[in-house]
């Protein structure tokens, strides 16, 4: 079966950095666009970043542009999210997701989800 396993979350001070990884198995990774979403307590799940299967198209939420970088390694079936200059408002559970075909910023468009990893940026 398809599995997406996130890692790399943790607690950092505001201004710090973290790198999230998401290892995929059970699917042909290069056929899937990959996305990162986050959900804070009491809030809806929101789009963070997405990358097309080839890496040729990348989208970011306005709130993370210039601070976060999404990338993928199709040989390793892994997608990454480099997060720099973290702010307290970035605190959330971060999820990776896979979508067959083209990328999307809508969480309902994604077929598979990981279990999430907690990111906390303290002020």
């Amino acid at each position: 079966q398809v599995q997406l396993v996130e890692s790399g979350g943790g607690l950092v001070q505001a201004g710090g950095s973290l790198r999230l990884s998401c290892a995929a198995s059970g699917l042909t990774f290069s056929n899937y666009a990959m996305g990162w979403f986050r959900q804070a307590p009491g809030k809806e799940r929101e789009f963070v970043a997405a990358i097309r299967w080839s890496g040729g198209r990348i989208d970011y939420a306005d709130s993370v542009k210039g601070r976060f970088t999404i990338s993928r390694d199709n040989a390793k079936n892994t997608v990454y999210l480099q997060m720099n200059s973290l702010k307290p408002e970035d605190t959330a559970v971060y999820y990776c997701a896979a979508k067959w075909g083209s990328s999307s910023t809508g969480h309902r468009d994604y077929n598979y989800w990981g279990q999430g990893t907690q990111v906390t940026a303290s002020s």
Side-chain angles (χ1 to χ4, degrees), residues 6-122:
E6 302 99 334
S7 61
L11 172 64
V12 295
Q13 288 191 331
S17 298
L18 284 173
R19 188 194 196 201
L20 305 183
S21 299
C22 172
S25 61
L27 52 73
T28 304
F29 187 69
S30 58
N31 286 345
Y32 285 79
M34 299 299 295
W36 286 98
F37 294 80
R38 66 188 181 186
Q39 189 165 18
K43 295 188 176 181
E44 292 189 356
R45 190 164 299 190
E46 66 172 355
F47 169 74
V48 175
I51 185 168
R52 198 173 178 181
W53 69 271
S54 64
R57 174 175 177 144
I58 292 175
D59 295 296
Y60 294 101
D62 288 343
S63 58
V64 306
K65 279 181 182 175
R67 300 188 298 122
F68 290 11
T69 303
I70 188 172
S71 62
R72 66 188 293 162
D73 185 337
N74 287 346
K76 295 183 178 179
N77 286 6
T78 302
V79 62
Y80 306 96
L81 186 68
Q82 177 66 43
M83 305 185 295
N84 298 329
S85 303
L86 281 160
K87 304 176 180 180
E89 51 264 43
D90 294 319
T91 296
V93 176
Y94 283 70
Y95 299 90
C96 74
K99 178 187 177 296
W100 193 91
S102 59
S103 61
S104 171
T105 61
H107 66 88
R108 290 182 176 85
D109 294 333
Y110 284 75
N111 307 107
Y112 303 105
W113 290 84
Q115 81 290 348
T117 186
Q118 177 70 44
V119 171
T120 303
S122 63

